[in-house]
Amino acid sequence: MTENEIASGIKAGRFDRVNAHVGGIELVDIPPGQVKLSDRRTQRSWSVEVGPYRLGAVPVTRSQYAQVTGHRPGGGPGDRLPADSISWNEAVLFCNALSERDGLTPVYRLGADGEVTRVASADGYRLPTEAEWEHACRAGTTGPRYGRLDDIARYRGNSEDRLPEVGTRRPNAWGLYDMLGTVWEWCWDLYDPDVYGSYRVLRGGGWFDEHWSCRASVRRRSHPTVRLDDIGFRVARSA
């Protein structure tokens, strides 16, 4: 799908997949499909089938995070700024707290040793898997990006060296904003447990990254306790 086809589809309303504002989080229906993941370090690639699910139209904002947790990331104003400096562990706790607030079954079970497991039957909020994230980011496209970078992303070339608000650039064909740029987004998956232990996957690139980091296939990793000002997350729900 070309950039012009995407733009025409958005303008014509053919790609309006927004489901609902659920608990203050705007979710988008994502269709099932297959995505091919790859890792440059290991020169490995693999295909994953994904079923239908729902994904936040934008990364979780500071305002949304504060409404659920009582804590405002970054310590300053800016309701439409993404919730940055959030660790993977904190993102998981947010998902559970949001689920409980909205009367849903929390997805994550936290063990006494800090281990996090998923409850497969739970209907609450969760982090997307890495395959779900890339499938949603691509939105039917096959190139490195779903549009011209300056049109779709806030990155080092146009962020003016500061954290941008969410939703200021064009969405992809499925109505998802900021899948590239703005903040790196936590995924559920372990990066490579044999080599990196508990490190989790990050996707999408951030506001201070060069253009080569803002591509649909780029993978980053970090420890689940790490907080950085270019890391945030968006929530998903199983269909």
Side-chain angles (χ1 to χ4, degrees):
M1 186 176 295
T2 68
E3 181 180 349
N4 288 337
E5 286 172 332
I6 293 172
S8 297
I10 293 171
K11 185 175 181 181
R14 292 198 301 272
F15 302 125
D16 185 13
R17 293 179 177 271
V18 173
N19 183 331
H21 289 270
V22 183
I25 304 288
E26 185 177 38
L27 298 178
V28 176
D29 284 328
I30 306 299
Q34 184 182 77
V35 62
K36 186 175 183 179
L37 306 181
S38 60
D39 182 79
R40 178 178 294 183
R41 184 185 67 83
T42 61
Q43 299 296 305
R44 187 170 65 96
S45 62
W46 63 102
S47 294
V48 181
E49 294 283 346
V50 295
Y53 56 103
R54 298 169 181 173
L55 189 64
V58 298
V60 172
T61 66
R62 288 183 177 182
S63 175
Q64 291 166 338
Y65 194 88
Q67 288 171 18
V68 173
T69 68
H71 168 68
R72 179 177 289 271
D79 286 350
R80 293 292 293 174
L81 290 173
D84 61 321
S85 303
I86 303 298
S87 71
W88 185 89
N89 288 337
E90 289 167 331
V92 162
L93 292 174
F94 174 90
C95 289
N96 274 3
L98 182 62
S99 298
E100 291 172 350
R101 191 193 74 173
D102 290 352
L104 303 172
T105 303
V107 170
Y108 299 115
R109 182 177 292 127
L110 282 64
D113 58 356
E115 182 182 5
V116 179
T117 57
R118 281 183 58 174
V119 179
S121 61
D123 62 353
Y125 297 93
R126 58 179 177 79
L127 296 177
T129 67
E130 181 178 14
E132 288 174 333
W133 187 95
E134 185 164 333
H135 175 60
C137 178
R138 291 189 177 281
T141 63
T142 57
R145 304 181 183 94
Y146 51 86
R148 196 174 76 91
L149 185 58
D150 280 303
D151 294 337
I152 65 173
R154 289 288 193 179
Y155 69 110
R156 183 176 291 194
N158 62 19
S159 68
E160 299 178 351
D161 293 339
R162 64 173 182 264
L163 183 69
E165 293 187 348
V166 301
T168 63
R169 285 296 188 259
R170 283 174 41 189
N172 69 10
W174 292 345
L176 299 166
Y177 295 81
D178 306 309
M179 292 299 291
L180 298 177
T182 301
V183 285
W184 288 89
E185 299 180 13
W186 288 112
C187 294
W188 161 252
D189 307 63
L190 291 165
Y191 180 84
D192 184 344
D194 292 337
V195 178
Y196 294 99
S198 63
Y199 277 42
R200 299 284 173 165
V201 171
L202 289 157
R203 288 301 206 106
W207 61 271
F208 199 62
D209 281 282
E210 297 286 359
H211 60 90
W212 55 75
S213 289
C214 298
R215 293 180 289 119
S217 63
V218 170
R219 310 174 77 220
R220 178 176 159 186
R221 62 191 179 275
S222 201
H223 193 272
T225 62
V226 162
R227 300 187 189 100
L228 295 172
D229 62 4
D230 65 347
I231 293 180
F233 69 105
R234 73 179 73 210
V235 297
R237 280 190 70 194
S238 300

